[in-house]
Amino acid sequence: MLIDKFLPAWDVQAVHSILVRGTPDEVYDALRSLNPSSSPLARSLVFLRSLPARPRRAKEDPSSTALDRFLKNGFILPDEKPGEELVLGIVGKFWTISGCLEQMNPVEFVRFNKIGYAKAGWNFYLRKMPDGFTHLGTETRVACTDDSSGRKFRRYWFFVKPFSGLIRMEMLRTIKRRVEQ
């Protein structure tokens, strides 16, 4: 998978998936054009996580896609293979209120090892299945740069993981609904 180029080793991982009746191209198009406004649950959970940083963020365009919003808020798109996989990356101190996000390009992301941070890779991958279905999955990987940041991240992840999983599953279900309608 493409994510292996950018985050081949990790400390924490979460995987979610769903079967969608549709071609990989249809599913990928729905993924790329996903609008967070189409899912009240995901929108609410993302809003709650972003509250501490809200005063510093520009007002969101309601017509922007989820991908546009992620890229505007610190994520990078190091690679994608249309119809197969899309990879996002972000570096920061996620356990802090502001997140202390670092801006970088894909090469810097791979090389980043500054003590006190965590690198997160997040992908969406698609696999053609029999009978007109596509397996749509998402994997989140987090690699901490030292033991201290690892301990801090794991405490944070203990509380955030269930909500993070809800957001990802809701995104997958929203894509499924859009393709299958």
Side-chain angles (χ1 to χ4, degrees), residues 30 46-47 57 59 61 75 78 90-92 99 102 119 126 145 156 158 169 176:
V46 170
F47 173 79
R57 291 194 178 170
K59 185 174 171 142
D61 175 358
F75 282 86
I90 192 166
V91 173
E102 295 282 317
K119 294 193 315 187
L126 301 93
T145 57
Y156 163 80
F158 177 81
M169 282 307 302
K176 177 182 174 81

Side-chain angles (χ1 to χ4, degrees), residues 71-136:
L71 296 175
K72 185 177 179 182
N73 288 304
F75 282 86
I76 61 170
L77 179 68
D79 207 354
E80 74 177 305
K81 194 169 185 181
E84 292 183 30
E85 187 177 2
L86 176 144
V87 180
L88 295 165
I90 192 166
V91 173
K93 297 179 180 182
F94 311 124
W95 52 90
T96 66
I97 290 177
S98 69
C100 299
L101 302 180
E102 295 282 317
Q103 298 298 312
M104 63 192 58
N105 64 43
V107 172
E108 293 167 329
F109 179 84
V110 171
R111 294 181 181 159
F112 188 88
N113 65 355
K114 187 175 175 183
I115 290 176
Y117 285 82
K119 294 193 315 187
W122 179 22
N123 76 345
F124 289 88
Y125 56 91
L126 301 93
R127 302 293 178 260
K128 185 176 182 172
M129 303 297 287
D131 300 324
F133 282 91
T134 296
H135 177 255
L136 171 62

